[in-house]
Amino acid sequence: MEKIGKLERVIFHNKENGYTVGVFETEDEQFTVTGSFHDPNPGVKYRIVGEFKMHRKYGEQFNAESYEEVIPDDADGIRAFLAAGNVKGIGPKMANLIVDRFGKSTLDVLEQNPEKLLAIRGIGPKSLKVIAESFGETIEFTKISFSLRELGITMAQAVRIYKLYGGESLEVVKDNPYCLVEDIYGISFRKADEIAMKLGFEEDSEFRLESGVAYVLENFAQSGSTYMPKEQLLESTVKLLDVGSEQVEECLVQMIFQGKLQTDTIEETPVVYLYGYYLAEQSVAWHLAQIKEAHIDPLSADLDNLIQDAEKNRSGGIHLSEEQRGAVRQALTENVCIITGGPGTGKTTIINTIVYILEQLDIKVALAAPTGRAAKRITETSGVEAMTIHRMLEYVYSEDEHEMNFGRNEENPLEEKAVIIDEASMVDLMLMEGLLKAVKPGTRLIIVGDADQLPSVGAGNVLRDMLRSEYIPAVRLHEIFRQAGESLIVVNAHMIQRGEYPYANESNKDFFVMRRSREEDILNTVEDLFRGRLQNYYDFIHSGYDIQVLTPTKKGLLGTIHLNEVLQGVLNPPSEEKREKKSGSRIFREGDKVMQLRNNYMMEWKRDGETEKGKGVFNGDMGRIEGINPESGRVSVRYDDRVVVYENEDLMELELAYAITVHKSQGSEFPAVVMPMTWFPPMLMTRNLLYTAVTRGKNLVVVVGSEDRMHAMVDNNRIDERYTGLEYRLRQIDFGNTIG
């Protein structure tokens, strides 16, 4: 549907992504228009294409899929166009002076001979430059966006492309449409391939080959691997591009010479890295070696006496087992040490003891974890402020380099003489590299985590690789302390880890299996639990936030997508008192529990009660929608003590979080966990996935579904094997030390 008229008023405009809400008026109607506009100007005549849609909260709106500015061709129209402020440097008075002098030729003068404006009183060289650039940009974007739309690029994408490439947008896209995959979020390789075909690119174009290779490697990295066996890469790329393996081989050689890829041989297998992951693995191994081999100041008091003092005076007195004492000794005498163990094995007690001793010795300690929730939990249990690793490393935007960087690095290392990292299984390769660069040799580095949990969401298998290499001194905890006599969660977690079937349904315990066979019955039971059944029997303040559904997959009746729709209806149904916002097929409502889906280093946040602001929202962060602005459509989300405002285009990075995947739950702990149990793809039905889900529950775990399926997960000890080279590189260091 096409409408021609005037933009009467702009209600909201986001300069970053172009999203606009305005009032549009044609000859016979007035309505609200929404869509992506580069630089919307009231009073300007537009031709918009789209359709009317009914918003349940704001009524009928015209969703503009594309637009173009209708430039007036008569003197009065030009006068009104300029007087409306559509060209910077020209107001109503100046518009009259210009049109009085040039009449119908005014726009031709602005575009082709702007220097003639110098004849107008009040226009000098500086103001002429502003006017010419502003008018040129208006005309330029109109022409560029029209051409981009002919290639199948949406207006929202066209706005982002123009923001990045400016006047060269069309040339950049025509020269190499595959650059959009890397540069423009939301444009996939498939989309770029469609554009390239419209532009007449050949199937064996070097741009297509390079983009295809990078796409295959990046997809592989998203599953956690840092490299790919060369033969597998060749096979996958040939299948994707439908070209010969010789052509892909030649492309690999070219990309290696360009510094985009790196080849290596690991355990006699030729492999290929994206260069950034190769450098990161080398860097992590090198920095670990530097920290491990550096001179470290000895403790100024007898360690056994320090441990006894901690047992006597910390938190009213504690008693460490010999295993725990050994972990404390090793952590304080080694330069770098790993402490690993399952739930209830005393990792938190050990951390607290180490912190107490370091404070008694006046040694400054930094305590951090990968997520805000994990850091908050450490603070509550230790009494010492913990923070996220990103915050500790002062993650900031560099104006010089136009990218996010760690403020703490080799040139500006952390000042603390001891650094403790908890929940280390969540730390991926790139974050570990940033951390190690900031740890000055001579600092004690203590890494704590559960190696049996699922590995990090990002690429790498850092904790497991370090342990397997046997290069880093490590303590494995086996004795169970926390709630060992009362908690079946703790007991069952260790049973699962050993390959034994868990106990369930014991009176006054915390682990239950509600046996159901049909998926519809499982779903109905999960709903019933959230309608108050659990809240009536347990001290849960708010079932929507205290109870967390964990499931292996996004798809299907018991996947996160469908479960979130169902649970949103149960826990946060539509209400006249709650504003809501539609984004694609999803509806976000005030009060909804939500999760961030990707690392966004540019997203701004503000901390409660402080003037402190910062940037960075990270994959897996969970929060709650505090408010939705009815005019702008902005969505405000609270993440613990930070508030982040999402614009319309940012909502693709957000999803409901009443149900989340087990992978996304890492580093979190919930008062109660509910897990549907049915047939899921075999690659997901693994022992360590079940173990991770169970260990997320603090007070209660309820499995709803087939007990046989749960037992099958225990039997399936298929480890999420990733292709990572850190273990190999650390072993090479150790081997080099041995033979040296």
Side-chain angles (χ1 to χ4, degrees):
M1 182 186 301
E2 180 179 285
K3 296 285 184 180
I4 298 176
K6 185 168 61 173
L7 186 62
E8 281 291 320
R9 181 163 61 96
V10 174
I11 297 173
F12 169 76
H13 173 65
N14 180 353
K15 291 183 179 181
E16 293 300 317
N17 55 41
Y19 180 71
T20 302
V21 180
V23 178
F24 197 84
E25 186 176 274
T26 66
E27 290 184 355
D28 52 13
E29 62 182 331
Q30 188 181 76
F31 51 83
T32 300
V33 62
T34 64
S36 293
F37 288 73
H38 167 57
D39 191 13
N41 290 302
V44 171
K45 195 173 185 180
Y46 290 99
R47 178 182 289 106
I48 57 177
V49 177
E51 59 180 332
F52 282 103
K53 291 185 177 180
M54 182 61 68
H55 191 286
R56 62 189 304 168
K57 186 74 175 179
Y58 306 118
E60 191 174 56
Q61 299 176 335
F62 189 89
N63 185 359
E65 297 172 359
S66 64
Y67 77 90
E68 61 179 313
E69 218 168 293
V70 179
I71 305 298
D73 56 6
D74 63 283
D76 288 340
I78 294 171
R79 193 185 306 273
F81 171 77
L82 295 178
N86 295 301
V87 178
K88 293 175 183 175
I90 299 178
K93 184 177 179 180
M94 185 59 69
N96 284 330
L97 291 174
I98 294 172
V99 176
D100 286 346
R101 184 175 186 92
F102 298 110
K104 293 172 61 175
S105 302
T106 296
L107 298 184
D108 290 334
V109 169
L110 283 168
E111 185 174 7
Q112 299 172 19
N113 305 106
E115 68 278 359
K116 290 184 178 181
L117 295 179
L118 292 171
I120 305 293
R121 186 175 180 181
I123 296 181
K126 289 185 179 180
S127 55
L128 173 64
K129 183 180 180 182
V130 171
I131 292 168
E133 288 179 353
S134 176
F135 183 75
E137 185 175 297
T138 298
I139 301 300
E140 182 179 73
F141 178 74
T142 300
K143 294 176 179 177
I144 287 173
S145 64
F146 182 79
S147 297
L148 292 176
R149 292 200 307 275
E150 287 186 327
L151 295 173
I153 294 172
T154 67
M155 181 56 71
Q157 291 168 341
V159 170
R160 291 199 291 270
I161 289 169
Y162 187 75
K163 289 282 185 186
L164 183 62
Y165 303 134
E168 298 178 355
S169 295
L170 202 54
E171 288 74 17
V172 170
V173 172
K174 286 183 175 180
D175 286 346
N176 178 15
Y178 296 99
C179 69
L180 299 176
V181 181
E182 183 175 348
D183 293 346
I184 307 297
Y185 178 69
I187 294 186
S188 66
F189 173 81
R190 303 283 185 186
K191 180 68 175 179
D193 215 25
E194 290 175 10
I195 297 168
M197 294 305 106
K198 289 180 181 178
L199 290 169
F201 276 70
E202 298 293 335
E203 286 189 343
D204 61 353
S205 157
E206 65 174 287
F207 295 129
R208 184 170 187 261
L209 291 171
E210 287 188 10
S211 184
V213 169
Y215 172 77
V216 171
L217 280 169
E218 284 162 3
N219 259 17
F220 211 63
Q222 286 176 12
S223 68
S225 295
T226 58
Y227 68 77
M228 197 169 181
K230 183 180 178 182
E231 286 304 314
Q232 189 174 345
L233 172 61
L234 289 172
E235 182 181 331
S236 298
T237 308
V238 166
K239 184 177 180 180
L240 173 72
L241 302 179
D242 193 24
V243 296
S245 59
E246 300 84 1
Q247 293 167 302
V248 178
E249 281 265 24
E250 291 175 6
C251 177
L252 287 180
V253 173
Q254 184 64 28
M255 293 178 76
I256 292 166
F257 277 121
Q258 292 170 349
K260 297 177 180 178
L261 305 180
Q262 178 67 45
T263 56
D264 203 347
T265 300
I266 295 180
E267 306 296 347
E268 300 182 356
T269 300
V271 303
V272 181
Y273 282 85
L274 288 167
Y275 195 64
Y277 288 125
Y278 177 78
L279 283 184
E281 273 190 0
Q282 298 275 28
S283 174
V284 167
W286 187 86
H287 280 93
L288 279 172
Q290 296 300 302
I291 295 168
K292 182 173 181 287
E293 303 302 327
H295 169 75
I296 192 167
D297 293 335
L299 300 178
S300 58
D302 180 76
L303 185 51
D304 287 332
N305 290 338
L306 290 169
I307 292 174
Q308 289 175 15
D309 178 64
E311 288 181 298
K312 180 180 178 181
N313 296 313
R314 195 188 64 80
S315 301
I318 58 170
H319 178 72
L320 299 177
S321 70
E322 191 53 44
E323 186 178 63
Q324 289 175 313
R325 289 192 191 94
V328 173
R329 287 191 192 96
Q330 189 145 336
L332 292 173
T333 54
E334 298 283 357
N335 292 18
V336 56
C337 174
I338 299 172
I339 300 171
T340 184
T345 54
K347 296 190 297 296
T348 299
T349 299
I350 291 168
I351 290 174
N352 293 346
T353 303
I354 292 169
V355 170
Y356 176 86
I357 291 172
L358 291 171
E359 287 180 337
Q360 297 306 301
L361 296 173
D362 201 25
I363 296 174
K364 291 179 65 177
V365 58
L367 195 53
T371 67
R373 293 174 69 91
K376 184 178 181 181
R377 193 169 68 249
I378 299 167
T379 300
E380 291 170 350
T381 57
S382 70
V384 177
E385 183 186 3
M387 60 185 75
T388 65
I389 297 174
H390 284 89
R391 188 181 178 195
M392 179 179 73
L393 299 181
E394 299 174 10
Y395 211 42
V396 294
Y397 182 73
S398 168
E399 296 289 350
D400 295 333
E401 300 179 34
H402 302 290
E403 62 181 22
M404 297 300 295
N405 283 319
F406 291 117
R408 294 290 179 174
N409 49 41
E410 289 159 302
E411 287 73 37
N412 183 32
L414 293 167
E415 297 172 2
E416 291 83 358
K417 297 297 290 182
V419 175
I420 302 175
I421 303 298
D422 198 9
E423 295 287 358
S425 64
M426 296 179 63
V427 179
D428 63 26
L429 178 69
M430 306 308 282
L431 183 56
M432 181 57 76
E433 181 192 23
L435 170 67
L436 295 178
K437 283 183 175 180
V439 176
K440 186 164 52 176
T443 302
R444 287 178 171 83
L445 176 61
I446 302 158
I447 299 169
V448 184
D450 185 347
D452 291 316
Q453 284 191 36
L454 293 171
S456 59
V457 174
N461 208 348
V462 177
L463 180 60
R464 202 170 292 172
D465 277 357
M466 288 193 297
L467 286 167
R468 286 174 174 173
S469 74
E470 299 182 350
Y471 176 67
I472 306 298
V475 177
R476 295 179 183 270
L477 305 171
H478 301 287
E479 293 181 61
I480 303 174
F481 300 96
R482 177 168 64 90
Q483 300 175 330
E486 301 83 21
S487 174
L488 279 182
I489 295 175
V490 173
V491 172
N492 283 339
H494 288 272
M495 291 182 70
I496 291 168
Q497 194 271 333
R498 294 193 300 267
E500 301 170 14
Y501 300 150
Y503 298 123
N505 300 344
E506 293 188 10
S507 179
N508 299 319
K509 293 294 184 179
D510 54 11
F511 192 102
F512 295 91
V513 176
M514 302 181 71
R515 298 176 182 87
R516 305 288 186 273
S517 56
R518 298 171 63 249
E519 289 195 349
E520 292 80 3
D521 294 335
I522 296 172
L523 179 62
N524 291 336
T525 302
V526 171
E527 281 189 72
D528 188 37
L529 292 173
F530 276 88
R531 290 187 187 278
R533 184 167 175 177
L534 286 180
Q535 203 168 0
N536 291 338
Y537 288 94
Y538 295 89
D539 188 22
F540 298 138
I541 299 172
H542 192 304
S543 59
Y545 299 95
D546 291 342
I547 307 170
Q548 182 64 55
V549 174
L550 302 181
T551 182
T553 183
K554 292 183 178 181
K555 299 178 181 178
L557 192 70
L558 298 174
T560 58
I561 295 173
H562 184 250
L563 281 169
N564 274 316
E565 291 177 2
V566 171
L567 294 176
Q568 183 189 43
V570 172
L571 297 165
N572 195 27
S575 166
E576 292 184 1
E577 299 176 355
K578 295 179 179 179
R579 300 187 183 94
E580 57 185 43
K581 169 83 175 177
K582 187 170 184 181
S583 176
S585 61
R586 303 164 305 166
I587 293 175
F588 292 112
R589 190 171 294 129
E590 289 177 336
D592 273 336
K593 186 178 182 179
V594 292
M595 173 179 278
Q596 172 74 13
L597 294 177
R598 63 186 287 266
N599 290 340
N600 187 326
Y601 305 118
M602 297 305 296
M603 189 82 79
E604 294 186 350
W605 52 259
K606 184 176 181 180
R607 201 175 297 281
D608 281 349
E610 301 178 19
T611 58
E612 181 186 358
K613 295 181 180 180
K615 291 183 179 181
V617 186
F618 303 103
N619 186 2
D621 283 355
M622 295 179 70
R624 180 179 181 178
I625 295 179
E626 274 197 335
I628 298 175
N629 188 303
E631 292 188 350
S632 67
R634 290 172 173 167
V635 177
S636 298
V637 177
R638 170 174 294 281
Y639 295 104
D640 294 322
D641 61 344
R642 298 172 300 149
V643 175
V644 178
V645 177
Y646 287 76
E647 307 290 357
N648 184 66
E649 294 297 318
D650 300 325
L651 292 177
M652 68 177 69
E653 301 180 9
L654 204 64
E655 72 176 1
L656 295 173
Y658 300 107
I660 63 175
T661 63
V662 179
H663 279 85
K664 292 284 190 180
S665 72
Q666 292 169 264
S668 299
E669 189 176 61
F670 309 99
V673 163
V674 174
M675 186 178 186
M677 185 64 62
T678 185
W679 183 92
F680 293 111
M683 65 181 296
L684 298 175
M685 299 294 283
T686 63
R687 182 186 299 174
N688 70 333
L689 187 139
L690 178 62
Y691 174 84
T692 300
V694 169
T695 55
R696 299 308 89 206
K698 183 177 181 181
N699 304 118
L700 179 68
V701 171
V702 181
V703 177
V704 183
S706 168
E707 193 168 32
D708 288 341
R709 294 287 182 193
M710 181 177 69
H711 291 169
M713 291 185 77
V714 175
D715 293 337
N716 182 11
N717 196 26
R718 175 188 178 275
I719 301 297
D720 180 16
E721 288 295 349
R722 301 180 170 196
Y723 290 112
T724 61
L726 181 59
E727 176 190 351
Y728 169 78
R729 300 187 193 290
L730 292 174
R731 285 188 179 276
Q732 291 297 104
I733 294 173
D734 205 21
F735 178 71
N737 288 342
T738 301
I739 64 174

